[in-house]
Amino acid sequence: MTDAPNAYTGYARMDDLHRLQEPRTASPFEMSFILISQVKELLFRMVHLEAAEARERLREDRSGAACRALARTVRNQRALTGCWESLNAMPVDEFLHFRDSLGTASGTQSAMYRLLEFTLGNRDRAVVRPDDLAAFPELRAELERPSLYDEVLRHLARSGLPVPEHLTDRDPAARYEPDEGMEKVWMAVHRDPDGHRAAYDLAEHLLEVAYQFSHWRATHLLVVERMLGGKRGSAGTDGAPWLRAINEHRFFPELWTMRSLL
């Protein structure tokens, strides 16, 4: 098989990639905005890829392999958060020059972002329009399978830890509610890390994933406040107040709350 004159460009379809940007104004900052938005979308996919890999390894009770996938997840999350630094350098007057061209477009409409949240365990149907579920069958399919955290709990139960039974056979499409019984399980693991080494290592990797996700949300909020102040979001959200509210959410909630009880 003979390689094309530029095998790299052909293999990764770089020419196609560079033809995807279509700014609607003459502002060079709009091109930057589009490029960073596309980079973020691809990084959402990278984070999802590794989180889904960790979930599959937990189904096989291979916690070590799951931890390695979670470590890669974190590396990609840090790159994702770094994208905000590029947008943070954009002068507010330049952003306002092309903001109206976005219309009702908003990052909150990203199906890949929502798929990532569903996979990690934040399954709030209220944030997804029925049209989105119809247009993106991956979202509906994700709601029908256990989340990463669901598989964590099932894995821990199979390893002998007293995970409450109602958590291991719960409806995967339902919103996860923090559970005192699970909080006690994580407390027991952290009070005897040497006796529960695999579970302890898994917990610390999960917490880092959750931390990085919250870090991304917090940085998003700061950039929006710097760029827009108290203006409404482009998709009709309340802007900064809405972002401030979702910043309260934590993935794998008992890993956070049990620290107050140790």
Side-chain angles (χ1 to χ4, degrees), residues 110-220:
S110 166
M112 183 55 65
Y113 174 82
R114 198 61 60 197
L115 182 64
L116 173 58
E117 283 210 320
F118 282 2
T119 299
L120 293 177
N122 185 24
R123 299 188 166 189
D124 185 356
R125 283 179 175 268
V127 301
V128 183
R129 299 175 303 175
D131 289 348
D132 290 335
L133 290 175
F136 302 100
E138 300 91 343
L139 290 175
R140 187 181 299 277
E142 181 59 40
L143 289 173
E144 296 174 356
R145 64 171 67 97
S147 71
L148 170 63
Y149 198 44
D150 287 330
E151 292 295 358
V152 167
L153 304 187
R154 294 179 181 192
H155 164 73
L156 294 177
R158 290 192 298 269
S159 70
L161 287 165
V163 177
E165 187 175 349
H166 66 269
L167 294 180
T168 60
D169 61 2
R170 62 184 295 274
D171 177 6
R175 186 172 184 172
Y176 184 83
E177 298 295 340
D179 188 271
E180 289 185 7
M182 194 59 224
E183 192 175 58
K184 292 177 181 177
V185 172
W186 285 126
M187 285 173 58
V189 168
H190 281 74
R191 282 174 174 161
D192 182 18
D194 289 334
H196 302 285
R197 177 52 55 186
Y200 179 86
D201 289 345
L202 178 59
E204 290 302 292
H205 279 85
L206 288 168
L207 190 69
E208 184 63 22
V209 169
Y211 172 85
Q212 292 296 335
F213 206 109
S214 292
H215 187 196
W216 186 86
R217 285 170 168 162
T219 307
H220 184 185

Side-chain angles (χ1 to χ4, degrees), residues 34 52 68 84 90 92 107 163 184 218 231 239 248-249 251 259:
I34 292 172
R68 289 190 290 275
W84 290 121
M90 187 181 300
V92 62
V163 177
K184 292 177 181 177
K231 291 186 178 72
E248 296 298 314
H249 172 265
F251 287 100
R259 280 163 161 74

